[in-house]
Amino acid sequence: QKLMHAIGDDDGKQDTKLQKTAKIPVKIASNVIAKYASRMSEIRRTFPRFYFLSDAEMTNVIQNGTPSHVNQFASRLFDGISAFILDDDNAQIVLGLRARNGEE
């Protein structure tokens, strides 16, 4: 809204060509941001543990959801867990969990 005001959306004057052209990407960006926020909320309702991550971190986990990648967020996603124990030969395989106290 601040951007729309800055380009003359609500000043009562007739829009210039630049102002009209600038409104299109602003409107598209606003729609994308609203849909992104809605999707993040939907995913968090499905898997509430994601409430412990920021939108950027959650997007990162979803895009790169390998166990080795998600491992960096394990302590924030699961209470009492510090990390996943991954197979040395295949990091896609989770062998167990490591507790915050070091217990496996």
Side-chain angles (χ1 to χ4, degrees):
Q1 289 177 343
K2 290 180 183 179
L3 181 57
M4 295 303 285
H5 176 71
I7 61 173
D9 185 49
D10 59 358
D11 63 1
K13 298 177 185 173
Q14 186 167 345
D15 292 344
T16 66
K17 187 174 182 178
L18 175 61
Q19 289 168 334
K20 287 179 183 178
T21 304
K23 287 179 187 179
I24 295 169
V26 169
K27 189 175 265 190
I28 291 170
S30 295
N31 288 340
V32 168
I33 290 168
K35 287 179 183 180
Y36 174 77
S38 174
R39 183 67 177 135
M40 294 293 107
S41 293
E42 182 181 317
I43 291 169
R44 283 188 173 104
R45 283 191 302 275
T46 302
F47 188 68
R49 296 280 178 184
F50 279 138
Y51 281 105
F52 298 109
L53 301 179
S54 70
D55 285 352
E57 291 167 331
M58 192 171 99
T59 300
N60 194 319
V61 167
I62 293 167
Q63 287 178 335
N64 308 302
T66 63
S68 59
H69 184 76
V70 176
N71 206 12
Q72 65 184 313
F73 303 107
S75 65
R76 291 176 46 210
L77 289 170
F78 304 103
D79 191 33
I81 303 298
S82 67
F84 302 133
I85 300 169
L86 304 175
D87 184 65
D88 290 335
D89 297 326
N90 184 351
Q92 300 292 331
I93 298 173
V94 177
L95 299 175
L97 303 171
R98 183 170 294 114
R100 289 192 177 149
N101 65 5
E103 186 180 335
E104 294 184 1

